Amino acid sequence: MRLNSFFVAALALLVAGCGGHRTEDLLGSAVVSASVSQIAGNHAIFIATTRKRSSDPSKVFDGERSAKLNFARVNVTVPLVHKTGQIERKSRGRSDDPSRYFMATDVVGYDTAPKFSQALNADIAARGGRVMLFVHGYNTGFDDAVYRLTQIVHDAGYPGTPVLFSWASGASTTSYVYDKESASAARDQLEVTLRMLEQSGARRIDIVAHSMGTWITMETLRQLAITGDRDLGGKLGDVVLASPDIDVDVFKSQMRRYGKPDKPFILLLSDDDRALRLSGLIAGWKPRVGDYKNASDLADYGVTVVDVSRAKGSDSFNHTKFADNPALVKELGQRLRLDDGFASDRDVTDRIRQLTQAGGVL
């Protein structure tokens, strides 16, 4: 009984540490007007999701699984008072004030993949042919995923088209197993989404994945390798794996099947990631890639390891440093803004290393 109680307590702490925000409405109703001068940015987020459409229009999509991909686009404004690394969210009972909070507006749904592709391709063409696909982690509500991608794009200064792949996370402290199985069920649809991007006018497709989202990403890249199209027709750019919640042996197996990439994958790890410690405990004391102490041996697989242990995170579990640490998200943005001259790619990862080694990441 003691062991079972400990397991349940650890599981609750683990899933609480990854999302950390109670699922809320994405769309509000009581809106306070704001002038253009009070808005720092307006971002169009394209969405491919294995979530079902919610019966509550304000939530748009919920945590239930859909057997098919659903598509949408949502515009999100960022207030001028925004601080790098943060997501300013309104509290319950507060009015939807764009001058103070991230605000989602103008959700457009697409009932077919061709309609979504048409809108997506037009945006890609207008933004120079660059796409960033974000795959979120576990215990993440749809609203959290939308706002997190918006924050990354805004703080990183990413010039291309942001696309969110949102799988059906239950977004609760009891949904760890459900989330893992939802992630498994979403692999084929992530492959469909990547192939859709490959067939668009994009010239480069960057992938940023976090936590359990890195597992889905690696599984899907493995599937692409099996089909002989592991680099999306030469369009695959950066693959950033932040705080990977993947068993080390599983990751090595995935990389062996994928093969050494033409351009090294970027692995952001931290030995003070409490969420991954608990995940490893639940997995039978097996280390996760994101807090792997001997990560130097991963270089042989074509991975650039960046240790951000000395960087400070804003969440108590140190699990989202890649996005909520101001210096790190800016350096990530610099990396993603690099054009097709891959020869200079190491410059940014070297700067991140120098920042963390010198304790200069705030």
Side-chain angles (χ1 to χ4, degrees):
M1 287 299 292
R2 285 186 178 180
L3 181 60
N4 289 339
S5 298
F6 180 70
F7 178 85
V8 172
L11 178 59
L13 285 170
L14 169 64
V15 294
C18 196
H21 188 281
R22 183 176 178 180
T23 302
E24 303 282 358
D25 295 346
L26 181 66
L27 301 177
S29 55
V31 178
V32 175
S33 60
S35 65
V36 175
S37 63
Q38 294 174 303
I39 303 299
N42 191 343
H43 302 275
I45 307 297
F46 287 83
I47 298 154
T49 181
T50 57
R51 297 173 185 265
K52 282 188 176 181
R53 295 189 183 277
S54 176
S55 58
D56 182 350
S58 64
K59 288 183 172 55
V60 188
F61 294 102
D62 57 30
E64 295 296 319
R65 300 170 189 156
S66 171
K68 64 181 183 67
L69 270 175
N70 289 307
F71 306 101
R73 188 196 75 231
V74 58
N75 290 344
V76 183
T77 58
V78 178
L80 188 63
V81 298
H82 167 66
K83 294 182 179 180
T84 302
Q86 297 184 14
I87 301 175
E88 289 82 6
R89 296 287 304 265
K90 74 179 183 71
S91 302
R92 282 186 176 276
R94 298 280 186 178
S95 295
D96 297 334
D97 186 350
S99 69
R100 300 176 61 190
Y101 313 118
F102 277 60
M103 284 286 116
T105 60
D106 303 325
V107 174
V108 176
Y110 302 93
D111 55 6
T112 66
K115 290 179 182 178
F116 177 72
S117 293
Q118 183 178 12
L120 178 65
N121 294 352
D123 194 85
I124 292 171
R127 296 179 182 275
R130 294 287 298 274
V131 177
M132 177 170 63
L133 180 71
F134 177 59
V135 186
H136 63 75
Y138 55 86
N139 190 21
T140 301
F142 179 67
D143 57 320
D144 284 326
V146 169
Y147 286 131
R148 176 60 77 188
L149 176 53
T150 302
Q151 178 256 315
I152 293 170
V153 169
H154 185 85
D155 289 345
Y158 186 75
T161 298
V163 179
L164 169 65
F165 181 80
S166 185
W167 49 278
S169 168
S172 75
T173 56
T174 58
S175 66
Y176 186 76
V177 175
Y178 175 82
D179 277 17
K180 187 70 180 224
E181 292 175 344
S182 291
S184 298
R187 289 173 294 184
D188 290 347
Q189 299 298 359
L190 178 53
E191 180 180 348
V192 169
T193 302
L194 285 169
R195 292 194 183 281
M196 183 183 300
L197 295 176
E198 178 186 0
Q199 294 163 10
S200 71
R203 59 183 177 82
R204 175 166 167 167
I205 302 165
D206 300 310
I207 302 174
V208 177
H210 178 234
S211 189
M212 193 178 285
T214 63
W215 182 83
I216 309 173
T217 298
M218 285 303 305
E219 283 291 286
T220 303
L221 290 175
R222 180 180 181 278
Q223 290 180 192
L224 287 170
I226 291 172
T227 69
D229 188 26
R230 69 175 196 161
D231 65 349
L232 299 174
K235 295 182 177 183
L236 184 64
D238 280 317
V239 175
V240 179
L241 307 173
S243 306
D245 187 4
I246 310 175
D247 180 279
V248 172
D249 292 332
V250 170
F251 181 72
K252 290 178 178 179
S253 175
Q254 291 168 329
M255 290 302 301
R256 284 193 293 268
R257 189 62 185 87
Y258 182 85
K260 194 169 185 176
D262 298 327
K263 186 168 177 290
F265 294 172
I266 304 167
L267 172 62
L268 302 179
L269 59 82
S270 180
D271 64 12
D272 64 350
D273 191 321
R274 295 176 61 212
L276 292 183
R277 286 181 189 173
L278 290 167
S279 179
L281 182 154
I282 291 171
W285 305 100
K286 295 293 184 180
R288 319 311 283 171
V289 175
D291 67 345
Y292 185 35
K293 302 299 187 297
N294 301 309
S296 58
D297 70 345
L298 297 179
D300 293 337
Y301 295 87
V303 176
T304 297
V305 177
V306 183
D307 188 347
V308 298
S309 299
R310 296 188 66 178
K312 295 179 181 178
S314 66
D315 75 289
S316 60
F317 281 75
N318 297 313
H319 193 54
T320 55
K321 291 181 182 180
F322 79 105
D324 64 27
N325 180 286
L328 284 181
V329 73
K330 287 180 179 179
E331 290 294 347
L332 176 62
Q334 176 63 29
R335 171 75 186 227
L336 293 171
R337 287 196 300 273
L338 290 174
D339 210 332
D340 295 323
F342 291 155
S344 63
D345 282 351
R346 291 189 60 185
D347 292 347
V348 175
T349 49
D350 286 345
R351 285 204 302 273
I352 293 175
R353 287 195 184 98
Q354 291 168 6
L355 279 169
T356 55
Q357 289 169 2
V361 181
L362 304 178

